[in-house]
Amino acid sequence: MNIFDQLLPDDHEQVTFCSDKTVGLRAIIAIHNTTLGPALGGTRMWTYASDDEALRDALRLSKGMTYKAAIAGLNLGGGKAVIIGDSKKDKSESLFRTYGRFVEGLAGRYITAEDVGTDVSDMEFVRMETKYVTGISQALGGSGDPSPVTARGVYAGIKATMHEATGSDSLKGKKIAVQGAGHVARYLCEHLNNEGAKIFVTDIFEEKVKAVLASTKAEYVKPEDIYTVDADIFAPCALGGIINDETIPKLKCKVIAGAANNQLLDQDKHGKMLVDRGILYAPDYAINAGGLINVANELEGYHQARALKQADSIYDILKQIFAIARREHIPTYIASNKLAEDRIAKIGRIKQIYAGASNFVGRLGEMNTKGK
Ligand code: NAD
């Protein structure tokens, strides 16, 4: 395996391999781009079949974070880490503290958070060794569960997408099919219900749906029927890859706008299929950026009210994406990538002054006062 050849295609800045035999740590920290600020992204713990697979995942995910931070207007770059191991068996205080010392060694070029396979308690061990960690509990001054802020951003994004598709952002009386009744969907359904939307919701677990039905006027549909609901909006809030050859022909909606990551099974193919079917797609990493906005707020002293207000800006971000897509006759997911890349390119020339997180905190403060 030629490591540098793997970094070149997407222009990754730095990859750090972390190893400690005593505690059984094997981790890779990938920093894709720090033009806008230090790289922030979670630490995934996964039973990768090979080191190569782990590296590929770290490279892919860190690049995604660059785009998500850029589109959200944050002064952050893109990074992600992977720990090779079984999150059910291999976790220990010593593992995460050792990992925390590697994060500390990067001196703020990379700031971590929880991700698949890691949780708040793991990040609290990391925090014993480094201040470059977010996603810790509210009791320790952290931001806690990001779902309310993600849901607020998705709600704003649904309204923006409906405005683009129909000329009105009112959701009163609009029919919306929500796939998944988990953390984000539960808060989202409350916003939709308060505005008088007609909600159809599904989940593979009955108790999750019951919680939504108890707090809203939503109607239950079976998981396999969610695609064919006669709805104005389809909001995927469960899994990735659900916009594909099989599901696109079934959809009756005008708009797809929801929280799930990696909704398009194949970006190019399925993004274009949606355009052909006249369905407007809200790019997933733009509409669900509330989660990142939430942890970014933690870096300067967390206030949920500020994070929620910042998540409302997703409305304007999506309107900008749609304007580019309309003007340049390109699918919305390409317009979103372009907007993110243009922002980075404009700042690229001052990259050398960004040394670490202390600069970042000042710049996030600046953004919060100017950017609303
Ligand atoms: P969650 O695990 O709490 O909820 C997901 C729900 O989907 C679960 O209740 C699960 O039972 C259900 N589900 C799984 N397969 C299903 C299927 N085939 N049909 C119907 N329901 C199914 O997760 P969450 O935190 O609410 O996140 C939802 C999505 O949003 C995920 O894709 C996540 O990556 C993404 N996201 C979440 C956040 C956040 O702040 N939590 C931020 C950004 C993106």
Side-chain angles (χ1 to χ4, degrees), residues 251-316:
L251 294 169
K252 299 199 170 84
C253 58
K254 299 182 196 64
V255 153
I256 297 176
N261 278 313
N262 305 316
Q263 293 170 26
L264 303 173
L265 183 62
D266 177 321
Q267 271 215 351
D268 290 329
K269 182 178 181 197
H270 298 119
K272 289 192 183 98
M273 273 174 79
L274 290 179
V275 173
D276 293 343
R277 283 233 29 218
I279 297 174
L280 186 62
Y281 171 64
D284 46 15
Y285 72 86
I287 192 169
N288 73 18
L292 180 62
I293 289 171
N294 196 56
V295 288
N297 265 268
E298 203 174 312
L299 292 163
E300 54 173 334
Y302 184 69
H303 296 288
Q304 195 185 56
R306 184 181 58 203
L308 286 167
K309 191 150 184 273
Q310 218 174 322
D312 288 341
S313 68
I314 288 174
Y315 187 104
D316 294 326

Side-chain angles (χ1 to χ4, degrees), residues 44 68 116 145-151 154 178-186 202-205 208-209 222-224 226-227 236-240 242 258-263 284 287-292 294:
R44 183 164 291 195
K68 188 178 270 207
V116 176
D145 177 13
S147 308
V149 179
T150 303
V154 173
V178 180
Q179 183 179 45
H183 288 91
V184 178
R186 197 154 359 126
T202 191
D203 200 286
I204 47 173
F205 293 112
K208 302 269 180 126
V209 174
K222 288 190 200 139
E224 61 274 23
I226 197 72
Y227 302 106
C237 295
L239 306 168
I242 39 79
N261 278 313
N262 305 316
Q263 293 170 26
D284 46 15
I287 192 169
N288 73 18
L292 180 62
N294 196 56

Side-chain angles (χ1 to χ4, degrees), residues 58-74:
L59 295 176
R60 175 181 71 85
L61 295 166
S62 61
K63 183 181 174 197
M65 292 308 294
T66 297
Y67 283 75
K68 188 178 270 207
I71 206 78
L74 296 167

Side-chain angles (χ1 to χ4, degrees), residues 35-338:
T35 302
L36 298 176
L40 192 150
T43 300
R44 183 164 291 195
M45 187 164 184
W46 195 252
T47 48
Y48 291 101
S50 66
D51 297 352
D52 201 24
E53 187 183 284
L55 175 61
R56 263 187 277 121
D57 213 24
L59 295 176
R60 175 181 71 85
L61 295 166
S62 61
K63 183 181 174 197
M65 292 308 294
T66 297
Y67 283 75
K68 188 178 270 207
I71 206 78
L74 296 167
N75 292 323
L76 288 168
K80 202 90 176 188
V82 298
I83 295 179
I84 301 165
D86 185 337
S87 62
K88 294 197 178 67
K89 290 195 311 220
D90 300 334
K91 285 188 179 183
S92 66
E93 175 177 351
S94 55
L95 181 102
F96 283 103
R97 290 187 69 161
T98 306
Y99 171 66
R101 287 198 287 277
F102 281 105
V103 173
E104 176 68 12
L106 291 169
R109 275 179 58 72
Y110 169 66
I111 301 167
T112 197
E114 64 194 77
D115 196 70
V116 176
T118 60
D119 57 27
V120 173
S121 59
D122 303 325
M123 291 309 122
E124 284 165 9
F125 290 135
V126 173
R127 184 172 171 268
M128 290 175 188
E129 304 292 341
T130 181
K131 63 176 182 289
Y132 303 118
V133 55
T134 57
I136 52 175
S137 66
Q138 286 190 332
L140 289 173
S143 57
D145 177 13
S147 308
V149 179
T150 303
R152 176 87 159 247
V154 173
Y155 172 59
I158 290 173
K159 288 177 75 67
T161 314
M162 279 301 278
H163 187 265
E164 179 70 16
T166 68
S168 163
D169 68 9
S170 170
L171 301 179
K172 191 169 165 49
K174 294 286 182 270
K175 288 178 275 176
I176 175 159
V178 180
Q179 183 179 45
H183 288 91
V184 178
R186 197 154 359 126
Y187 291 105
L188 174 64
C189 286
E190 282 171 19
H191 289 300
L192 298 169
N193 192 62
N194 291 344
E195 201 179 325
K198 171 74 195 143
I199 305 164
F200 300 88
V201 67
T202 191
D203 200 286
I204 47 173
F205 293 112
E206 206 178 311
E207 71 275 12
K208 302 269 180 126
V209 174
K210 274 189 185 157
V212 173
L213 300 188
S215 60
T216 66
K217 293 183 189 146
E219 193 177 306
Y220 170 72
V221 294
K222 288 190 200 139
E224 61 274 23
D225 294 339
I226 197 72
Y227 302 106
T228 50
V229 172
D230 186 13
D232 301 287
I233 304 153
F234 174 49
C237 295
L239 306 168
I242 39 79
I243 309 294
N244 55 42
D245 288 351
E246 203 186 308
T247 58
I248 291 175
K250 293 183 184 169
L251 294 169
K252 299 199 170 84
C253 58
K254 299 182 196 64
V255 153
I256 297 176
N261 278 313
N262 305 316
Q263 293 170 26
L264 303 173
L265 183 62
D266 177 321
Q267 271 215 351
D268 290 329
K269 182 178 181 197
H270 298 119
K272 289 192 183 98
M273 273 174 79
L274 290 179
V275 173
D276 293 343
R277 283 233 29 218
I279 297 174
L280 186 62
Y281 171 64
D284 46 15
Y285 72 86
I287 192 169
N288 73 18
L292 180 62
I293 289 171
N294 196 56
V295 288
N297 265 268
E298 203 174 312
L299 292 163
E300 54 173 334
Y302 184 69
H303 296 288
Q304 195 185 56
R306 184 181 58 203
L308 286 167
K309 191 150 184 273
Q310 218 174 322
D312 288 341
S313 68
I314 288 174
Y315 187 104
D316 294 326
I317 292 165
L318 283 181
K319 292 295 288 178
Q320 283 181 59
I321 293 170
F322 297 142
I324 295 170
R326 223 184 312 119
R327 199 172 56 234
E328 302 192 13
H329 305 288
I330 53 177
T332 53
Y333 71 95
I334 296 179
S336 183
N337 291 349
K338 189 169 163 24

